[in-house]
Amino acid sequence: MKKLFIFTLTLFFYSNIESQNNLSFSGDLQISGQTFQEDFSIGAEKREPNLNSYLNLYLGYKDYLKIGTRLELYKNPIPGFEEYEGEGIAHKFIQFQKWNLDITIGNFYDQFGSGVLFRSYFDPNLGVDNSVNGARIKYRPSSGIDLMAIIGKQRNYWEQGDGVIKGFDAQIYLNDYIFKKSETTISLGGSFVTKYQKDNDPFFILPENVGAWSGRMNISKGRWNFDSEYAYKINDPSFTNNYIYKNGNSLILSGSYSKKGLGLVLSGKRVDNMNFRSDRDATLQQLNINFLTSLNKQQSYSLATIYPYVTQPNGETGMQFDCFYKIPKKSKLGGIHGAELNLNFSNCFTINKTNSSDSELIGQPGTLGYDSDFLEFGNDKLFQEINIGIKKKINKKLKLHTTYINVFNNDKILKAQKVLEGEEHEKIFCNIFILESEYKIKSRYTIKSEIQHLQTKQHFGNWGMGLIEANLKNFFFSIQDLYNYGNPISPTHYYSITTGFIKNSNRLELRYGKVRAGLFCVGGICREVPASNGFSINITSSF
């Protein structure tokens, strides 16, 4: 609490000097708390109430100097977050921006290209904070050239990881120099990242310096756009890849076409042994240097998130196609107000893995791991999803949105779902049907409803979901129930009641209800959420 007192004094000091010329002060606050009561029907355990909060403060001088800090507090965190217990200043930096130069000393977040080599970010819902504590320099020597260099150690809960990461990134916009009058724009980029960690392993001789590089290109002309990035990493034995000495690589390709009322995107990727951490023994969300893009639709509907895809850094290849089409007004299909159609398809397979000398040695510790044909898919499909959605405006007050989702999730390999005692992981096939409506009473007064149904013969069987939500200017209120009526042991309701208030940049939310155990995922990065029953409060504010 001593640090909290010091931070409160700092806040008071900042607020008093803000009135002085050339100074600016801003920040944001988030507080969340939850109670936990025992509920045998969903497997929820009784625990002490938890409290998580953070406060960001920023002090700026003119437009070229910025100082920032963040205070975090975690009391009785949920399982999986135990290492965050405590409070303290977890983030602090000084940033100078002038003369095409940007220098940051302290903690920072950033990324190179798509993040396949380096991405540091903060997501408290996932328990991710791999900020780099060190130095970052950005420099634009001339128009069309952007350079960045970094060095430092990553945050590991309240400590820092042992490994030191260094990196350099360059982006060049060729039209500023070569194709000045061309309608086609071309940019090239390249990155290099290395990590250093001392070898103390008693069994293997491990590389202390691990380097990785990538090259990327963007070409755009009129309605067409093409992106590509290839990355390569030298052998990096780690806990994640079972300590094999195989080099890693990744390829991401994406092309798109867009015009008024139509958008098409086709993407593909291949990942082979590209887990990259500043500590070779780290697990879960610890000390990831890079971020591997997930090529599947990011779902927000409750039942559509039950069987998500989890990115496989040790090997995956897949694609995604996304189509948006706006059906014209006063057409036979669009009617008076027109309609919007969205089609999304994605899948992911394992990669081909062979070993010409001895198939039993594939992936064994201390070996080269395996051979892999870059152009050949593996034998197993990991995931596939089809999304078809139609939005239709019935009149000035009523809108409807219908969605059909077909999911295949190979949990025999992914092993991401909980299974009943005595049961085995299996391939999951499911169909999801969603009907969403929104009725506008008047400006800033709306009533929203959702009906969802998930049908499957595997895992825990069928689900139904109903939601009614009212948004009345500054107030909101909702009632929701997820009903696992197909559960082979006991059908279970997961009901919740939520209410809250929004005023300017301030938001208060109160909730009571049950939460199912499962995975919470964003962009292929997931964490396990335990079952719970109780009250929760969330407060956010910015100033």
Side-chain angles (χ1 to χ4, degrees), residues 93 160 520:
F93 69 90
Q160 290 184 8
F520 173 73

Side-chain angles (χ1 to χ4, degrees), residues 58-107:
Y58 305 102
L59 177 66
Y61 177 70
K62 292 187 176 180
D63 59 351
Y64 59 82
L65 187 63
K66 185 176 184 180
I67 301 174
T69 56
R70 181 170 72 238
L71 174 68
E72 296 181 10
L73 169 65
Y74 300 93
K75 183 176 178 59
N76 300 321
I78 63 174
F81 286 69
E82 293 91 347
E83 296 291 338
Y84 280 106
E85 175 75 42
E87 78 278 341
I89 297 177
H91 192 86
K92 50 191 178 299
F93 69 90
I94 299 175
Q95 185 177 20
F96 174 84
Q97 295 174 298
K98 199 171 185 179
W99 308 307
N100 294 329
L101 189 64
D102 182 340
I103 301 176
T104 301
I105 304 297
N107 298 93

Side-chain angles (χ1 to χ4, degrees), residues 182 193 329 373 379:
S182 175
V193 177
K329 297 179 181 179
D373 189 330
N379 296 324

Side-chain angles (χ1 to χ4, degrees), residues 469-519:
E469 178 181 295
N471 293 282
L472 309 174
K473 197 175 181 179
N474 298 118
F475 293 91
F476 61 91
F477 176 83
S478 70
I479 300 176
Q480 176 182 281
D481 183 25
L482 277 73
Y483 182 30
N484 184 199
Y485 70 91
N487 193 304
I489 293 182
S490 62
T492 307
H493 286 275
Y494 295 86
Y495 55 80
S496 64
I497 301 175
T498 304
T499 187
F501 175 80
I502 301 174
K503 181 67 173 180
N504 299 325
S505 59
N506 306 302
R507 187 178 191 274
L508 168 66
E509 177 185 287
L510 300 172
R511 181 183 182 277
Y512 173 75
K514 303 182 180 183
V515 177
R516 67 176 181 86
L519 292 180

